[in-house]
Amino acid sequence: MKAQPLVLKIMNVASGLLLAGSLAMVFLYAPLEAVMNHVQKIFYFHISNAWVGMLGFIVAAFAGIMFLVKKDLKWDIVEVAAVEISLVFFLIAIVTGSIWARPSWGTWWTWDARLTTAAILEMVYLAYMLLRQGIEDPDRRARFGAVYTLIGGISVPITFVSIRLWQTIHPAIIGTESASAQGGFAMAPAMLQTMFFCLFAFSVIFATLLWHRVRLGRLAQQVELQKLEAMQ
Amino acid sequence: MINPVVSLKYMLAGYIAIFSILGIYLASLVVRWKNLQRDLQMLKDLQEKK
Amino acid sequence: MKPRRNSGYFKAILAIAWKDLAAELRSRELLSAMLVFALLVILIFNFALELDPGTRRIATPGILWTTFAFAGTLGLNRSMAIEKDRGCLDGLLLAPVDRSAIYFGKLLSNLVFMLIVETIVLPVYSVLYNLNLFVPGLIGIILLGSFGYVAVGTLLSSMAVQTRTRDVLLPILLFPVVIPVLVAAVKASAGFLEGIAFAEILPWLNILLVYDVVFTAIAFMVYEFVVEE
């Protein structure tokens, strides 16, 4: 397998620096929130991780469509990579969301639309992995994966809308419909700047990780081909 | 106003969670890469022996 | 001159659906399995949730749709498995008809099976719990919800049946993506049963309609990728 291209090496360094920079901004630059105190600082990384999850979700759905159109297995490799990364980052988002919720509202889980939809998306991804595991033929595996990514890609946004609608009738946290219950709070300018910096940093991290995971996928494809050759 | 000590503990828990999960994922990428490289080498050697 | 292709397409759909329905009329193995299963689920719910009459009224839509979802999965699985095991699928694929006709034919027969089961479950439930379920709105919701469920279910079961894990995989694939149908159907059913203003039920109805249309269209477009050899 070819060595890492220079651009990727630069991205590795950039990702590391941006991550460090984000931490610096969160802990040294952003002010302490009046009501929630320190735990609010999770917020920046919670949102950024969810953002990466979203990016992965979109890339996966796009790659799925591209595969069905072009029939090129390259797109399948991108699709798997995007699904995996989205899975991991939404997991982090869900866990941090839960940790943030506990001291803020006294409950580990709020059945709010975003958290619940993220959890459902994780189930879709796991189903996707199980689907692929049950198929030997690489072409069929890619086709089915692409179809399911498409189905998931359309159904999850509709799920979000329906849960959101359901929620307006059953407020998640009894008695509190204020902005803070939805996770809102007044953001000072320094907080906004920190938030945007983190979002940017994690976007770069996403691109870097995606590239690495695609390389892994290509290597796996090489090994599979080599196995087939060895069996002849 | 949330008790500062409690708030701090949860914040730490949050960041530990973030970096643990991230770390485990990155480690898995490295391990899988090494395994595949090894498999590839082994298969190539097998092919040469034929 | 009337294009022959169009009439051939619809004939194919009806032929495929009729094949399943006729076979089922003779053997009745699928329907009896689905029906017994549905009634058992209602029974289990009866003991799992000890509900007083008031709470039971509120819980009814949820219990009904859970029952339909589980029985529906059974039907979808068996319907596709029969197809594969008897080699009918290969035969159908050889026929000079658009792949999507197979999808619509299976969709139709799966829908009919599900509706038959629901038609029997509703009166049984009504009698068991002394509730009037014969509200026109509810019937409509059951139609729309079942259609959406079966539209996606037929596509996914066509995939699942070709994997190693088969039966086990269908619910895992189906349930996460069919949640909008379940949420909307339950809320709309509850709305009609409680006699809530139509304007409040409308959003749920919209979600069901959008889902049904969108996913039927998607399945129609991608079905060929799922059954090609």
Side-chain angles (χ1 to χ4, degrees):
Chain A
M1 187 76 190
K2 293 184 292 218
Q4 289 187 34
L6 183 61
V7 181
L8 184 56
K9 286 189 182 153
I10 295 175
M11 284 174 80
N12 290 337
V13 175
S15 297
L17 287 172
L18 284 167
L19 186 61
S22 303
L23 283 168
M25 283 202 80
V26 167
F27 288 106
L28 301 173
Y29 181 67
L32 209 54
E33 210 270 338
V35 173
M36 294 190 235
N37 238 304
H38 297 282
V39 78
Q40 179 266 345
K41 296 219 179 252
I42 293 181
F43 173 75
Y44 303 104
F45 274 49
H46 165 74
I47 301 287
S48 305
N49 278 286
W51 167 248
V52 171
M54 277 294 300
L55 288 175
F57 175 73
I58 293 169
V59 170
F62 179 73
I65 296 174
M66 288 309 289
F67 174 77
L68 290 175
V69 169
K70 302 272 187 185
K71 315 249 205 292
D72 190 342
L73 278 168
K74 276 189 243 176
W75 288 107
D76 182 55
I77 294 178
V78 173
E79 180 189 294
V80 177
V83 166
E84 196 178 279
I85 292 174
S86 187
L87 179 74
V88 171
F89 278 79
F90 265 125
L91 178 64
I92 300 177
I94 290 172
V95 169
T96 50
S98 188
I99 292 177
W100 182 25
R102 178 64 174 167
S104 306
W105 308 303
T107 176
W108 287 109
W109 190 260
T110 79
W111 285 95
D112 87 290
R114 283 166 305 204
L115 214 56
T116 309
T117 305
I120 291 171
L121 182 57
E122 297 285 75
M123 300 308 301
V124 170
Y125 286 153
L126 289 172
Y128 173 85
M129 298 297 193
L130 285 170
L131 173 64
R132 291 186 73 101
Q133 258 179 32
I135 306 172
E136 301 273 331
D137 173 32
D139 178 66
R140 176 174 292 174
R141 196 167 52 211
R143 268 185 288 124
F144 285 13
V147 168
Y148 196 65
T149 313
L150 186 55
I151 303 271
I154 308 283
S155 108
V156 169
I158 301 181
T159 303
F160 178 72
V161 168
S162 43
I163 298 180
R164 185 57 99 62
L165 183 61
W166 181 82
Q167 259 232 309
T168 57
I169 309 167
H170 308 273
I173 300 129
I174 299 166
T176 55
E177 274 167 71
S178 60
S180 68
Q182 312 296 324
F185 48 86
M187 283 184 87
M191 289 183 183
L192 267 168
Q193 289 159 7
T194 310
M195 189 69 253
F196 283 124
F197 186 84
C198 290
L199 282 173
F200 172 70
F202 272 84
S203 303
V204 174
I205 292 173
F206 170 69
T208 312
L209 273 177
L210 186 68
W211 193 338
H212 280 294
R213 182 58 185 83
V214 166
R215 279 168 53 87
L216 186 73
R218 283 196 218 135
L219 182 59
Q221 193 183 44
Q222 259 192 289
V223 170
E224 234 185 276
L225 282 167
Q226 197 72 20
K227 270 189 200 161
L228 280 168
E229 252 180 69
M231 288 196 287
Q232 272 144 11
Chain B
M1 164 86 158
I2 302 176
N3 179 337
V5 175
V6 168
S7 191
L8 193 63
K9 280 191 187 159
Y10 277 96
M11 184 200 76
L12 280 168
Y15 275 94
I16 290 173
I18 295 170
F19 286 101
S20 307
I21 298 177
L22 211 50
I24 293 173
Y25 182 59
L26 288 170
S28 91
L29 285 176
V30 169
V31 167
R32 282 146 75 188
W33 179 270
K34 292 224 156 82
N35 285 342
L36 284 170
Q37 290 278 44
R38 192 199 58 207
D39 288 349
L40 192 63
Q41 198 51 49
M42 214 163 51
L43 286 164
K44 281 193 173 150
D45 292 340
L46 254 164
Q47 197 72 336
E48 258 161 56
K49 279 188 191 156
K50 282 190 182 173
Chain C
M1 192 172 111
K2 199 173 170 187
R4 282 208 71 205
R5 193 193 126 79
N6 275 341
S7 66
Y9 186 75
F10 286 112
K11 277 200 188 132
I13 295 174
L14 289 172
I16 292 167
W18 181 246
K19 160 183 81 66
D20 286 345
L21 293 168
E24 190 53 28
L25 261 164
R26 267 178 271 124
S27 69
R28 284 183 294 274
E29 58 174 54
L30 186 61
L31 275 175
S32 33
M34 284 174 80
L35 196 57
V36 170
F37 185 72
L39 295 172
L40 282 171
V41 172
I42 304 261
L43 201 65
I44 291 175
F45 266 122
N46 186 53
F47 297 110
L49 312 166
E50 287 177 48
L51 303 173
D52 56 78
T55 325
R56 170 140 309 264
R57 277 180 61 91
I58 302 173
T60 291
I63 294 173
L64 281 176
W65 279 102
T66 307
T67 308
F68 297 155
F70 288 160
T73 305
L74 204 77
L76 287 166
N77 263 334
R78 282 307 296 152
S79 162
M80 263 315 156
I82 290 172
E83 205 73 47
K84 190 139 209 295
D85 293 341
R86 287 195 202 141
C88 303
L89 194 59
D90 296 330
L92 281 171
L93 288 171
L94 286 169
V97 73
D98 198 52
R99 295 287 183 256
S100 58
I102 302 176
Y103 169 71
F104 283 117
K106 293 301 291 180
L107 170 59
L108 204 53
S109 60
N110 285 331
L111 183 62
V112 169
F113 292 146
M114 196 159 168
L115 289 174
I116 291 176
V117 171
E118 287 161 347
T119 311
I120 299 175
V121 166
L122 271 182
V124 170
Y125 194 93
S126 291
V127 165
L128 285 175
Y129 296 107
N130 203 26
L131 290 166
N132 178 29
L133 294 177
F134 295 97
V135 177
L138 180 62
I139 311 294
I141 296 300
I142 290 181
L143 275 165
L144 279 177
S146 305
F147 186 86
Y149 188 84
V150 170
V152 178
T154 304
L155 176 64
L156 293 179
S157 67
S158 303
M159 289 202 288
V161 84
Q162 297 179 58
T163 67
R164 268 201 305 259
T165 35
R166 261 196 162 192
D167 284 6
V168 169
L169 195 57
L170 178 64
I172 295 175
L173 288 175
L174 184 58
F175 288 158
V177 299
V178 97
I179 287 180
V181 173
L182 292 175
V183 170
V186 167
K187 293 303 291 183
S189 303
F192 280 115
L193 282 176
E194 300 299 312
I196 292 177
F198 185 73
E200 282 183 43
I201 305 178
L202 191 59
W204 299 114
L205 204 60
N206 286 336
I207 291 179
L208 275 175
L209 282 165
V210 166
Y211 189 95
D212 286 1
V213 169
V214 167
F215 278 95
T216 309
I218 293 178
F220 166 70
M221 286 190 290
V222 300
Y223 199 70
E224 55 170 301
F225 294 110
V226 162
V227 287
E228 72 182 59
E229 277 310 303

